[in-house]
Coordinates of all heavy atoms in Angstrom, one line a residue:
L1269 N -74.0 21.4 4.7 CA -74.9 20.3 4.9 C -76.2 20.6 4.2 O -76.8 19.8 3.5 CB -75.1 20.1 6.4 CG -76.2 19.1 6.8 CD1 -75.9 17.7 6.2 CD2 -76.3 19.0 8.3
E1270 N -76.7 21.9 4.5 CA -78.0 22.3 3.8 C -77.9 22.2 2.3 O -78.8 21.9 1.6 CB -78.4 23.7 4.3 CG -78.8 23.7 5.8 CD -79.3 25.1 6.2 OE1 -79.9 25.7 5.3 OE2 -79.1 25.5 7.3
K1271 N -76.7 22.6 1.8 CA -76.5 22.6 0.4 C -76.6 21.2 -0.2 O -77.2 21.0 -1.2 CB -75.1 23.2 0.1 CG -74.8 23.3 -1.4 CD -73.4 24.0 -1.6 CE -72.9 24.1 -3.0 NZ -71.7 24.9 -3.1
I1272 N -75.9 20.3 0.5 CA -76.0 18.9 0.0 C -77.4 18.3 0.1 O -77.9 17.7 -0.8 CB -75.0 18.0 0.9 CG1 -73.6 18.4 0.7 CG2 -75.2 16.5 0.4 CD1 -72.6 17.7 1.5
L1273 N -78.1 18.6 1.2 CA -79.5 18.2 1.3 C -80.4 18.7 0.2 O -81.2 18.1 -0.4 CB -80.1 18.6 2.6 CG -79.5 17.9 3.9 CD1 -80.0 18.5 5.2 CD2 -79.7 16.4 3.9
R1274 N -80.1 20.0 -0.2 CA -80.9 20.6 -1.3 C -80.6 20.0 -2.6 O -81.5 19.6 -3.4 CB -80.5 22.1 -1.3 CG -81.1 22.8 -2.6 CD -82.6 22.7 -2.7 NE -83.1 23.3 -3.9 CZ -84.3 23.0 -4.5 NH1 -85.1 22.1 -4.0 NH2 -84.7 23.6 -5.6
V1275 N -79.3 19.7 -2.9 CA -79.0 19.1 -4.3 C -79.4 17.7 -4.3 O -79.8 17.2 -5.4 CB -77.5 19.3 -4.7 CG1 -77.2 20.8 -4.7 CG2 -76.6 18.6 -3.7
Q1276 N -79.5 17.0 -3.2 CA -80.0 15.6 -3.1 C -81.5 15.7 -3.5 O -82.0 14.8 -4.2 CB -79.8 15.0 -1.8 CG -78.3 14.6 -1.5 CD -78.2 14.0 -0.1 OE1 -78.8 14.4 0.8 NE2 -77.3 13.0 0.0
A1277 N -82.2 16.6 -2.9 CA -83.6 16.8 -3.2 C -83.9 17.0 -4.7 O -84.8 16.5 -5.3 CB -84.2 17.9 -2.3
I1278 N -83.0 17.9 -5.3 CA -83.2 18.2 -6.7 C -82.9 16.9 -7.5 O -83.7 16.6 -8.4 CB -82.2 19.3 -7.1 CG1 -82.6 20.6 -6.5 CG2 -82.1 19.4 -8.7 CD1 -81.6 21.7 -6.8
A1279 N -81.9 16.1 -7.1 CA -81.6 14.9 -7.8 C -82.7 13.9 -7.8 O -83.1 13.2 -8.8 CB -80.3 14.3 -7.3
L1280 N -83.4 13.8 -6.6 CA -84.5 12.9 -6.4 C -85.7 13.3 -7.3 O -86.3 12.5 -8.0 CB -84.9 12.8 -4.9 CG -85.9 11.8 -4.5 CD1 -85.4 10.4 -4.8 CD2 -86.2 11.9 -3.1
E1281 N -86.0 14.6 -7.3 CA -87.2 15.1 -8.0 C -86.9 15.1 -9.5 O -87.8 14.8 -10.3 CB -87.5 16.5 -7.6 CG -88.8 17.1 -8.2 CD -89.2 18.4 -7.5 OE1 -88.4 19.2 -7.3 OE2 -90.4 18.5 -7.3
Q1282 N -85.7 15.4 -9.9 CA -85.4 15.4 -11.4 C -84.8 14.1 -11.9 O -84.4 14.1 -13.1 CB -84.4 16.6 -11.6 CG -84.9 17.9 -11.2 CD -86.2 18.3 -11.7 OE1 -86.5 18.0 -12.9 NE2 -87.0 18.9 -10.9
K1283 N -84.8 13.1 -11.1 CA -84.4 11.7 -11.5 C -83.0 11.7 -12.1 O -82.7 11.2 -13.2 CB -85.4 11.2 -12.5 CG -86.8 11.1 -12.0 CD -87.8 10.6 -13.1 CE -89.2 10.6 -12.6 NZ -90.2 10.2 -13.7
L1284 N -82.1 12.3 -11.3 CA -80.7 12.4 -11.8 C -79.8 11.4 -11.0 O -79.9 11.3 -9.8 CB -80.1 13.8 -11.5 CG -80.9 15.0 -12.2 CD1 -80.4 16.3 -11.7 CD2 -80.7 14.9 -13.7
P1285 N -78.9 10.7 -11.7 CA -77.8 10.0 -11.0 C -77.1 10.9 -10.1 O -76.8 12.1 -10.4 CB -77.0 9.4 -12.1 CG -77.8 9.4 -13.3 CD -78.7 10.6 -13.1
F1286 N -76.6 10.4 -8.9 CA -75.9 11.3 -7.9 C -74.5 10.8 -7.9 O -74.2 9.7 -7.4 CB -76.6 11.1 -6.6 CG -76.1 12.1 -5.5 CD1 -76.7 13.4 -5.5 CD2 -75.2 11.7 -4.6 CE1 -76.3 14.3 -4.5 CE2 -74.7 12.7 -3.6 CZ -75.3 13.9 -3.6
V1287 N -73.6 11.6 -8.4 CA -72.1 11.3 -8.4 C -71.4 12.2 -7.4 O -71.4 13.4 -7.5 CB -71.6 11.5 -9.8 CG1 -70.1 11.1 -9.8 CG2 -72.4 10.7 -10.8
H1288 N -70.8 11.5 -6.4 CA -70.2 12.2 -5.2 C -68.7 12.0 -5.2 O -68.3 10.8 -5.1 CB -70.9 11.6 -4.0 CG -70.8 12.5 -2.8 ND1 -71.4 12.2 -1.6 CD2 -70.2 13.7 -2.6 CE1 -71.2 13.2 -0.7 NE2 -70.4 14.1 -1.3
L1289 N -68.0 13.0 -5.2 CA -66.5 13.0 -5.1 C -66.2 13.3 -3.6 O -66.2 14.5 -3.2 CB -65.9 13.9 -6.1 CG -66.3 13.9 -7.5 CD1 -65.5 14.8 -8.4 CD2 -66.2 12.4 -8.1
V1290 N -65.8 12.3 -2.9 CA -65.7 12.5 -1.4 C -64.3 12.6 -0.9 O -63.4 11.7 -1.3 CB -66.4 11.3 -0.7 CG1 -66.2 11.4 0.8 CG2 -67.9 11.3 -1.0
E1291 N -64.0 13.6 -0.2 CA -62.7 13.7 0.6 C -63.0 14.7 1.7 O -62.9 15.9 1.6 CB -61.6 14.2 -0.2 CG -60.3 14.2 0.6 CD -59.0 14.5 -0.3 OE1 -59.2 15.3 -1.2 OE2 -58.0 14.0 0.1
S1292 N -63.5 14.2 2.9 CA -63.9 15.0 3.9 C -63.4 14.6 5.3 O -63.4 13.4 5.6 CB -65.5 15.0 3.9 OG -66.0 15.7 5.0
A1293 N -63.0 15.6 6.0 CA -62.6 15.4 7.4 C -63.8 15.2 8.3 O -63.6 15.1 9.5 CB -61.7 16.6 7.9
G1294 N -65.0 15.2 7.8 CA -66.2 15.0 8.6 C -66.6 16.3 9.2 O -66.3 17.4 8.7
A1295 N -67.2 16.2 10.4 CA -67.6 17.5 11.1 C -66.4 18.0 11.8 O -65.5 17.3 12.3 CB -68.7 17.1 12.1
N1296 N -66.4 19.4 11.8 CA -65.3 20.1 12.6 C -65.7 20.1 14.0 O -66.6 20.8 14.5 CB -65.2 21.5 12.1 CG -64.0 22.2 12.7 OD1 -63.5 21.9 13.8 ND2 -63.5 23.2 12.0
L1297 N -65.0 19.2 14.9 CA -65.4 19.0 16.2 C -65.2 20.3 17.1 O -65.8 20.5 18.1 CB -64.6 17.9 16.9 CG -64.9 16.5 16.2 CD1 -64.1 15.4 16.9 CD2 -66.4 16.2 16.2
T1298 N -64.3 21.2 16.6 CA -64.1 22.4 17.4 C -65.3 23.4 17.2 O -65.4 24.4 17.9 CB -62.8 23.1 16.9 OG1 -62.9 23.5 15.5 CG2 -61.6 22.2 17.1
K1299 N -66.1 23.1 16.2 CA -67.3 24.0 15.9 C -68.6 23.1 16.0 O -69.6 23.4 15.4 CB -67.2 24.6 14.5 CG -66.0 25.5 14.4 CD -66.0 26.1 12.9 CE -64.7 27.0 12.8 NZ -64.6 27.5 11.4
Y1300 N -68.5 22.1 16.9 CA -69.6 21.1 17.0 C -70.9 21.8 17.4 O -71.0 22.6 18.3 CB -69.2 20.1 18.1 CG -70.4 19.2 18.4 CD1 -70.8 18.1 17.6 CD2 -71.1 19.3 19.7 CE1 -71.9 17.3 17.9 CE2 -72.1 18.5 20.0 CZ -72.5 17.5 19.1 OH -73.6 16.7 19.5

């Protein structure tokens, strides 16, 4: 999550299109 937040911040500051390839089980509820 911190990694995604960081690269989003870079994209915003460097004016980059954000291309996201998504396939996620979401949060791991056993490690909530």
Side-chain angles (χ1 to χ4, degrees):
L1269 172 60
E1270 291 185 33
K1271 178 175 178 174
I1272 297 175
L1273 293 173
R1274 171 58 185 156
V1275 300
Q1276 286 179 326
I1278 292 174
L1280 188 61
E1281 186 171 40
Q1282 303 306 322
K1283 302 178 185 177
L1284 300 171
F1286 191 82
V1287 182
H1288 202 175
L1289 310 183
V1290 176
E1291 184 175 31
S1292 173
N1296 187 335
L1297 296 182
T1298 64
K1299 300 178 181 178
Y1300 171 75

